[in-house]
Amino acid sequence: MADFNGIVARFATEGTVGSVKPLGNGLINDTYVVRTEEADMPDYVLQRINHHIFTDVDVLQSNIEAVTAHIRRKLEESGADDIDRKVLRFIPVRGGGKTYHFDGESYWRMMAFIPGAHTLEAVTPESSRDAGRAFGEFQAMLVDMDADLKESIPDFHNMELRLRQLREAVALDKAGRVEGVRDILEEIESRADEMCLAERLHREGKLPKRICHCDTKVNNMMFDEHGQVLCVIDLDTVMPSYVFSDYGDFLRTGANKGDEDDRDLSRVEFDMDIFRAFTEGYLSSARTFLTPVEIDNLPYAAAMFPYMQAVRFLADYINGDTYYKIQYPDHNLVRTRAQMKLLHSVDRHTPEMRAFIASVAGA
Ligand code: GN1
Ligand code: MG
């Protein structure tokens, strides 16, 4: 058990720590809510950063500080109200400028808890329209940022790299699980070229990298008491990437009628109502900067993300579950199958998606 009081004391927080309790269900970091005893003092979110995944915590926090400062400045310039609920505020450590503390074992950071806000695990067409607008706005606000952000996980959404990692896992077969998943591996390989389109377009100079969120899950947004989006959270993966990351990963999680790890594959279907609402919202704020190549390939992004996530879950399963937290032994395999099922459903809707995007983008 970590010495929470000792850790919190390292940060320039206000008030007296009352309680520290686990918060949320992220697969990567450990998150806690720190309640202060005084009613007029802020509460905080404390996180143990997974430094096996984010190996350069200094890069990670510099990216996050640069991005939140840029957004805060933009909100101030535009005269927005309630700014402290619209952008995260990281707490510096006492007597130093850094926003993280290393206790000899783990890296910790703290941010102000946003009062009266909540996250959602399920989406409706209304909230996904807002989400589309919010993630589009997030990208739009960062389009003119000069700071040179580094990739906090190099090649995070590089499909070619993810396939190489899967092939390495298969070659080593550390957990002796390859024999049991030959059918999925075969299907994945049969679509590998098609799914690496983004990297090819980028090499040909036809697809830019922009600052993206790269983990645009439904539960990475905060809503206010009226169900309005306040801000996007979980900024660890904010880095240069293709806009496909934010578009595709939202639909992967938000437009799945089942769960990411559903055992009942009949529940896993691509939800066109969510797709339409999210796409309308996204294009309303992102159309100002998106290129025709980016717009034309949004349906590809919707397919690539379930595919990429299947590749990642399957590689982890084959490696013996070293990356994602699991709740039972074949959890990563169940997740893989659910992502492949989602991909099949996306495939069936591709022509309809194309037509819809063309009508909205052309409008
Ligand atoms: C991880 O921790 P969480 O749940 O926000 C992962 C994402 C995956 C997701 C799958 C840094 O995100 O890329 O899409 O799990 N984040 C990292 O649920 O690998
Ligand atoms: Mg998260």
Side-chain angles (χ1 to χ4, degrees), residues 187 191 194-195 251-252 254-259 264-276 299-307 310 336-354:
E187 185 182 349
R191 302 193 62 173
E194 164 205 348
M195 292 295 174
L251 291 176
R252 181 183 75 77
N256 183 352
K257 292 186 186 175
D259 297 320
D264 179 359
L265 294 182
S266 70
R267 294 184 66 235
V268 177
E269 282 288 342
F270 191 63
D271 188 329
M272 284 300 282
D273 291 334
I274 300 292
F275 159 80
R276 278 186 285 267
Y300 154 70
M304 175 172 99
F305 273 81
Y307 177 85
T336 305
R337 291 198 195 285
Q339 294 299 302
M340 291 307 283
K341 171 64 202 296
L342 183 62
L343 171 63
H344 300 153
S345 181
V346 169
D347 288 340
R348 278 195 299 280
H349 291 290
T350 302
E352 211 184 321
M353 284 166 48
R354 282 201 186 292

Side-chain angles (χ1 to χ4, degrees), residues 321-362:
D321 312 308
T322 57
Y323 190 91
Y324 296 106
K325 293 179 195 164
I326 52 164
Q327 265 123 43
Y328 49 86
D330 65 344
H331 201 165
N332 274 315
L333 181 57
V334 169
R335 288 168 173 153
T336 305
R337 291 198 195 285
Q339 294 299 302
M340 291 307 283
K341 171 64 202 296
L342 183 62
L343 171 63
H344 300 153
S345 181
V346 169
D347 288 340
R348 278 195 299 280
H349 291 290
T350 302
E352 211 184 321
M353 284 166 48
R354 282 201 186 292
F356 184 79
I357 290 168
S359 74
V360 177

Side-chain angles (χ1 to χ4, degrees), residues 11 18 78 81-82 108 118 142 146 152 220 223 229 262 289 301 308 310 347 359 363:
F11 290 85
S78 72
D81 60 352
D82 208 10
W108 299 88
H118 59 277
L142 299 172
D146 334 310
S152 53
N220 280 337
F223 294 83
V229 177
D262 225 310
F289 65 85
M308 185 190 297
D347 288 340
S359 74

